[in-house]
Amino acid sequence: MGWVHNTNAKIAKSPVGRWFQLDGSGHPRERKGSYFFTEVRAGVAAFFAMAYIIAVNSSILSDTGGTCVCNGGLDDPVCDVNEEYLLCAAEVRRDLVTATAAISALSSFCMGLFANLPVSLAPGMGLNAYFAYTVVGYHGTGIVPYSVALTAIFVEGWVFFALALFGMRQWLARAIPRSIKLATSVGIGLFLTLIGFTYSEGIGLMTGAQDTPLELAGCPSSAVDPVTGLCPDGEKMRNPAMWIGIFCGGVLTVLLMMYRVKGAIIAGILLVSIISWPRTTSVTYFPYTTVGDDAFDFFKQVVGFHQISKTLNVQRWDISEYGGQFGLAFITFLYVDILDCTGTLYSMARFANVMDPVTEDFEGSTIAYMVDAISISIGSLLGCSPVTAFIESGAGISEGGRTGLTSMTTGLCFFISIFFAPIFASIPPWATGCVLVLVGSMMMMAVTEINWRYLGDAIPAFVTIAVMPFTYSIANGLIGGICLYITLNSVVWLVEKASGGRIVPPNKAEKDPWTWQVRGGFLPPWMKRLCRGKKDFWREDAPITTESISDVPGEEKMAKSGSGESTKGHPETALHQ
């Protein structure tokens, strides 16, 4: 259409076009094929690919109970049926719907505005589960309280900021052995899958047992044995809500994804939710109870702004009695954040063709990591788990997004969603359970890239994968895998040195290479320019002419290969690329 072309041309020649390096802007680094309306469409596509995080993240984090205090006594020590506590937890979930949408809006908008990258941010899957079920625990039964865990996240964000500013982020990300990095993604995927199979945040297919670690469930909540917590044999797999979740939220969603339907995940969630909203059905999310009445009253508002009341700025700085546990949570958050954000940003930058082939870095990398780091700390003030780059940004890039206008559009969409908090807060767990299973399946792709030929790489990777879901802890898996990797390969190195190189594993040549050195140097680009004496060191050097993305053969294949390095916490990786 003529008016679309004319508008694209006018915006490209404006200061806006030059800032975002649109095609036709005259900028020396203008990104070929980037047009205003294309960027807007791409941003909307990315939003629909990742909008599920509003419902899923708030649902997972509210399982901690937030700042609610449990007074259930000996009969109900974790307040499973305490109405006062459950009403408080419902309010926490509404707070977290607003908080998730708000921090996703702010971080995505800032990523586009300052870093000019088509990459959107939101609270990361995997880290939210680790926060909820390992650090804080179900209804606050974990190693530290909710407020102390948020303090760890706040501090971690600023440490991440310093690492990004001085270039150590890239070094730390590459110092971790490749097999452990890949195994981390797979282990988190299995961890999320297990959560998706449980009652609290899933379809209720599995439950803990006594004679075995897990047991088949699938019975209505009313049929669960109050003593053992198990389903009677005659009631297993008879919960109608579970079957609605499996077929409408699982099978249908996968079919839509197979046909590349945009927003397939959010469509499945909405369908299950709509089926579960009427109060007269056996699968209603609003039973005629005190908690159900309160939830239904909030749902009837449909559109409205929910003010955060229980999770805003609740950090606790007196951490003396939680020293060791606080440190473990802090280190795990930092480590997974570095791998998650680094891998996702690199794969998306490669997909958008903004990588520097010499330094293996991308345009605006330091600013991008600084935006992510500050967003982590701001998110903790709102009560959220760590924010990270989302691999679903590939949906926007595949729609033609090449600049920060894409992620700014996504951020604006998240901002609008803040005013639909009553809808997002009323999505039942059986609507999001299959989403967690799908997330896990997408993250399993990295398992094919692990070096299974050499046991020094394979066994530590397997231990990392297995320990995460079986111990319900990402941190335990990382500690086990890294310690075993160091032990095995250190012994091999010592034996090789002691024998003068005569005693080595026969297939040691198949070992994944490891080095602490980073191509392009240790220092970030801005510091190199400062050391060279460049006065405007904050400005990028003159660009090196490269092919446009449309001219690069096998671009799609290259993007897929790159994104395979990091699928941590994000679904639909392959589908959108």
Side-chain angles (χ1 to χ4, degrees):
M1 290 181 289
W3 70 272
V4 172
H5 175 77
N6 292 335
T7 303
N8 283 336
K10 289 179 181 179
I11 294 176
K13 294 176 181 178
S14 70
V16 172
R18 190 168 181 83
W19 175 267
F20 291 104
Q21 305 173 18
L22 295 176
D23 195 348
S25 64
H27 193 283
R29 290 180 180 270
E30 71 176 32
R31 300 178 185 178
K32 301 299 180 182
S34 58
Y35 304 103
F36 178 76
F37 283 110
T38 302
E39 300 294 315
V40 172
R41 185 184 72 238
V44 174
F47 170 75
F48 278 107
M50 57 189 292
Y52 72 91
I53 192 62
I54 300 175
V56 175
N57 187 63
S58 59
S59 183
I60 289 176
L61 295 186
S62 63
D63 258 4
T64 64
T67 54
C68 301
V69 179
C70 178
N71 296 313
L74 295 176
D75 295 334
D76 188 18
V78 294
C79 290
D80 278 328
V81 295
N82 185 285
E83 284 191 351
E84 180 183 359
Y85 186 88
L86 294 178
L87 287 171
C88 179
E91 185 68 15
V92 167
R93 183 180 181 185
R94 295 164 194 164
D95 285 357
L96 290 168
V97 168
T98 301
T100 301
I103 192 59
S104 300
L106 177 64
S107 57
S108 297
F109 191 89
C110 290
M111 178 65 81
L113 180 61
F114 298 115
N116 195 25
L117 287 173
V119 180
S120 302
L121 307 176
M125 295 293 293
L127 275 174
N128 56 5
Y130 173 68
F131 176 92
Y133 300 115
T134 302
V135 179
V136 182
Y138 176 72
H139 286 188
T141 56
I143 57 177
V144 298
Y146 178 77
S147 55
V148 174
L150 290 178
T151 305
I153 294 173
F154 182 85
V155 174
E156 181 253 327
W158 288 109
V159 172
F160 194 4
F161 180 88
L163 293 176
L165 183 63
F166 295 105
M168 293 182 65
R169 173 265 315 154
Q170 187 180 28
W171 180 84
L172 285 172
R174 298 196 181 188
I176 303 299
R178 180 173 179 271
S179 61
I180 300 297
K181 286 189 283 191
L182 294 170
T184 299
S185 172
V186 180
I188 292 175
L190 290 177
F191 183 31
L192 292 175
T193 300
L194 187 59
I195 294 172
F197 282 148
T198 61
Y199 274 101
S200 61
E201 284 311 320
I203 57 177
L205 183 65
M206 290 182 181
T207 188
Q210 295 174 330
D211 298 331
T212 57
L214 294 173
E215 184 175 296
L216 187 67
C219 63
S221 300
S222 58
V224 175
D225 189 312
V227 178
T228 64
L230 303 179
C231 292
D233 290 339
E235 296 289 338
K236 290 181 179 178
M237 303 299 289
R238 294 194 176 187
N239 185 2
M242 179 196 70
W243 288 109
I244 290 174
I246 290 175
F247 283 103
C248 298
V251 175
L252 178 61
T253 301
V254 173
L255 288 172
L256 293 176
M257 292 167 72
M258 290 171 65
Y259 287 98
R260 306 292 179 93
V261 175
K262 303 299 182 184
I265 287 181
I266 196 68
I269 291 175
L270 286 177
L271 177 59
V272 177
S273 300
I274 291 171
I275 294 173
S276 304
W277 283 336
R279 303 195 75 179
T280 56
T281 68
S282 60
V283 296
T284 183
Y285 186 55
F286 307 114
Y288 289 99
T289 62
T290 303
V291 177
D293 291 341
D294 178 70
F296 189 67
D297 289 340
F298 184 65
F299 168 71
K300 288 189 296 185
Q301 297 178 28
V302 182
V303 178
F305 176 76
H306 175 76
Q307 186 174 354
I308 301 175
S309 61
K310 295 186 177 297
T311 65
L312 182 64
N313 194 23
V314 296
Q315 278 80 4
R316 175 180 171 184
W317 294 96
D318 179 16
I319 60 172
S320 56
E321 60 182 298
Y322 305 104
Q325 296 91 337
F326 178 89
L328 177 62
F330 165 77
I331 291 172
T332 303
F333 284 137
L334 180 63
Y335 166 77
V336 178
D337 254 338
I338 288 174
L339 293 185
D340 196 357
C341 189
T342 301
T344 302
L345 279 175
Y346 269 79
S347 61
M348 291 298 98
R350 187 179 295 112
F351 192 16
N353 199 38
V354 293
M355 291 289 293
D356 186 322
V358 177
T359 63
E360 292 188 352
D361 212 347
F362 55 89
E363 296 179 28
S365 62
T366 300
I367 295 177
Y369 285 103
M370 287 163 55
V371 168
D372 180 84
I374 294 175
S375 298
I376 290 170
S377 294
I378 295 176
S380 73
L381 294 175
L382 299 177
C384 283
S385 55
V387 173
T388 190
F390 256 55
I391 204 73
E392 283 85 347
S393 302
I397 296 174
S398 64
E399 284 289 319
R402 295 292 179 269
T403 73
L405 286 171
T406 295
S407 48
M408 288 178 67
T409 302
T410 304
L412 290 174
C413 290
F414 271 115
F415 176 75
I416 294 172
S417 69
I418 293 174
F419 301 97
F420 291 89
I423 299 297
F424 286 104
S426 302
I427 294 176
W430 54 88
T432 57
C434 283
V435 171
L436 297 178
V437 177
L438 291 174
V439 170
S441 70
M442 297 303 165
M443 296 175 70
M444 288 297 294
M445 290 189 299
V447 77
T448 61
E449 300 182 41
I450 296 174
N451 179 21
W452 297 108
R453 299 182 304 277
Y454 183 71
L455 293 181
D457 291 324
I459 302 303
F462 177 76
V463 168
T464 302
I465 293 170
V467 171
M468 283 186 187
F470 292 155
T471 64
Y472 230 58
S473 171
I474 296 173
N476 291 344
L478 292 174
I479 293 171
I482 291 174
C483 290
L484 184 58
Y485 182 94
I486 293 173
T487 301
L488 292 177
N489 290 283
S490 295
V491 170
V492 169
W493 181 80
L494 289 172
V495 170
E496 181 179 355
K497 293 299 181 183
S499 65
R502 293 186 297 273
I503 303 177
V504 295
N507 65 333
K508 187 174 182 291
E510 295 181 323
K511 181 183 183 297
D512 277 341
W514 178 88
T515 178
W516 59 271
Q517 296 177 330
V518 178
R519 282 188 62 186
F522 179 82
L523 300 176
W526 70 268
M527 194 172 290
K528 293 179 186 176
R529 293 191 291 268
L530 179 63
C531 293
R532 293 201 311 263
K534 186 177 181 181
K535 293 182 179 180
D536 54 343
F537 60 89
W538 59 89
R539 298 185 185 277
E540 304 244 346
D541 291 325
I544 301 173
T545 304
T546 58
E547 297 175 289
S548 68
I549 193 167
S550 57
D551 298 328
V552 179
E555 163 265 330
E556 184 176 352
K557 179 179 179 182
M558 179 178 66
K560 287 183 179 179
S561 174
S563 64
E565 296 176 6
S566 175
T567 53
K568 313 191 179 45
H570 312 289
E572 299 191 59
T573 307
L575 302 168
H576 294 311
Q577 296 182 9

